[in-house]
Amino acid sequence: MAPVAVATTPTATPVDVIKAGVGALNLGVEAADLSVYGQFNNTPATGTEFRVAPTKGDTRPALTIKEVLADDAKLKALGRLVSERGVVFFREAEITPDEQKVLVDKLGKFGGKPADSTLHIHPLTLPGSQHGDEISVISNQFVFDGKFKLDEKTPLKRVRGAQQWHSDITFENVPSDYASLVIRTLPQVGGDTLWASAYEAYDRLSAPTQKYLEGLTAVHKGQVFLDLASKLKVEVREHRGSPQNIGQDLETIHPVVRTNPVTGWKGLFVNRGFTKRIVELSPSESDAILEFLFDHVAANHDIQVRFRWEENSLAIWDNRSSFHAATQDVDGVTREGTRSVSIGERPYFDPASKSRRADLGARALA
Ligand SMILES: O=C(O)CCC(=O)C(=O)O
Ligand SMILES: [Fe+2]
């Protein structure tokens, strides 16, 4: 009998197989204590910012990104902080695009990423691009086709801010752990970036909803980049930072709730940018649940932080446990930056993992 044709939707890899490929977690080992440096949490849910100089209320010395880059003990502590807080900011951080690459790659390695996970090459990065394959240039010129031809309808053509929420490259089989961004050409005002905590998004769901979501998986697709590739008549790049990140379809399946291997905390892992449907549900159920979850992230501004860029500001985030969104509110001027994205491990849900709130609560009581 001829074999029955089976739909070729990729299947999720079992947790044990993924965990077996993950290296030793070294972020807690021989790590420095960064709490001795001036810093504050931007919001209770997410974001920690290092101060440039002591203040009256915070007399601790400043920590520079140069010191961190020169000292593996500090890098390990930074990686843990980024994974716990979702995003960490430095001001007056002079860092080259090459150093950005070293930074996120080392954070990933100390975090135990598989040996064959390197740095992401974006599907639309053209060979021979300005800063090499492993730096994405983030520019509003792409939105304006480089011409800045404005008319009175331009603001009406913008997508709504809430449409921008995503975590990076979740259409890859092996997406990102750490990423860093520096906006190098700045508007005087505008172009802020927002981050939201995926841990807190999970923690703010009721227990029955949490349980329900934990059994589900979702299809992620980089449709926006496929559309752009066909418009520009280019092929998407192959070999994008992992032997598993190949092919032209930019489509994969990930668990809806993901465990962060560094913190052991559960986070919501669907995003409006790339998550297309929940595999186990009917199309209308999937649409309704995803819409609720996307709105849950965008509408709860108390799980977010909004960051205003200045010259030499640096953001470092953990894509496994946070979402972010650009703000398209600058029209006539260039806003341009460099981003480096480390490839981490294949996403998994570990049923033994904890909620951030429960874990921090237990630690506070201990
Ligand atoms: O331009 C921004 O503010 C953020 C862009 C972005 O999504 C990224 O760098 O991953
Ligand atoms: Fe992004």
Side-chain angles (χ1 to χ4, degrees):
M1 203 171 78
V4 180
V6 185
T8 55
T9 315
T11 49
T13 310
V15 177
D16 294 347
V17 176
I18 298 166
K19 284 182 102 178
V22 176
L25 173 61
N26 278 321
L27 285 177
V29 183
E30 292 168 10
D33 177 9
L34 297 188
S35 70
V36 301
Y37 298 100
Q39 62 185 269
F40 58 91
N41 286 346
N42 302 81
T43 71
T46 190
T48 292
E49 184 166 331
F50 283 95
R51 290 189 195 282
V52 174
T55 65
K56 216 169 155 197
D58 183 355
T59 54
R60 292 173 292 180
L63 175 70
T64 66
I65 195 66
K66 281 222 173 332
E67 290 169 71
V68 177
L69 281 166
D71 182 348
D72 284 354
K74 290 194 176 78
L75 265 169
K76 288 177 185 176
L78 178 65
R80 179 160 287 281
L81 186 67
V82 172
S83 290
E84 287 182 354
R85 299 293 304 156
V87 58
V88 169
F89 305 108
F90 286 82
R91 300 283 187 184
E92 295 186 19
E94 278 174 41
I95 183 168
T96 64
D98 277 344
E99 286 171 330
Q100 279 182 264
K101 292 197 297 192
V102 172
L103 172 68
V104 292
D105 194 37
K106 278 192 136 181
L107 294 180
K109 284 188 171 131
F110 287 136
K113 71 176 181 176
D116 55 11
S117 283
T118 54
L119 290 166
H120 192 236
I121 297 173
H122 196 276
L124 291 185
T125 294
L126 296 173
S129 84
Q130 191 186 356
H131 297 288
D133 279 349
E134 293 160 337
I135 289 283
S136 296
V137 174
I138 304 290
S139 175
N140 64 345
Q141 301 236 22
F142 301 144
V143 179
F144 286 110
D145 283 342
K147 296 191 189 84
F148 291 113
K149 279 215 182 101
L150 301 179
D151 59 39
E152 70 281 4
K153 292 216 178 71
T154 303
L156 302 181
K157 286 188 210 146
R158 285 196 200 120
V159 294
R160 298 171 77 192
Q163 301 295 116
Q164 303 276 338
W165 284 101
H166 66 282
S167 22
D168 292 325
I169 64 160
T170 61
F171 52 82
E172 299 285 19
N173 289 322
V174 192
S176 165
D177 46 11
Y178 299 101
S180 81
L181 179 65
V182 176
I183 301 297
R184 296 179 187 274
T185 306
L186 282 166
Q188 283 235 321
V189 63
D192 295 354
T193 308
L194 287 80
W195 278 263
S197 169
Y199 301 132
E200 189 65 14
Y202 170 86
D203 281 350
R204 293 212 190 175
L205 298 166
S206 65
T209 301
Q210 290 175 336
K211 267 269 129 337
Y212 166 67
L213 294 178
E214 283 172 13
L216 303 177
T217 57
V219 175
H220 295 237
K221 194 168 178 71
Q223 191 61 50
V224 53
F225 300 126
L226 292 175
D227 293 348
L228 216 53
S230 77
K231 190 174 148 198
L232 299 171
K233 298 191 172 48
V234 296
E235 295 229 310
V236 308
R237 292 291 293 271
E238 295 278 354
H239 304 290
R240 300 178 297 269
S242 161
Q244 295 179 59
N245 293 347
I246 50 172
Q248 298 283 313
D249 63 341
L250 306 185
E251 181 174 324
T252 192
I253 289 185
H254 296 309
V256 168
V257 177
R258 178 178 188 180
T259 302
N260 186 303
V262 177
T263 57
W265 297 339
K266 298 175 196 180
L268 183 66
F269 196 63
V270 290
N271 69 83
R272 193 184 286 281
F274 303 120
T275 312
K276 301 303 172 198
R277 74 189 153 83
I278 297 180
V279 177
E280 295 81 3
L281 304 184
S282 71
S284 52
E285 286 171 337
S286 169
D287 287 351
I289 301 279
L290 283 178
E291 191 54 39
F292 162 73
L293 293 172
F294 298 156
D295 184 64
H296 180 66
V297 171
N300 278 304
H301 83 259
D302 43 351
I303 70 169
Q304 303 168 5
V305 54
R306 179 171 181 141
F307 186 66
R308 176 173 149 74
W309 296 94
E310 293 170 339
E311 204 178 327
N312 294 324
S313 300
L314 165 69
I316 309 156
W317 64 95
D318 188 330
N319 267 311
R320 298 170 290 200
S321 308
S322 66
F323 309 98
H324 57 279
T327 308
Q328 286 182 9
D329 58 354
V330 284
D331 285 326
V333 292
T334 303
R335 175 184 182 276
E336 208 160 86
T338 52
R339 185 188 73 163
S340 55
V341 174
S342 164
I343 294 296
E345 77 288 351
R346 197 160 183 144
Y348 62 87
F349 170 66
D350 182 348
S353 55
K354 299 182 186 141
S355 107
R356 169 180 173 263
R357 272 179 179 261
D359 196 36
L360 290 179
R363 278 199 228 167
L365 290 175

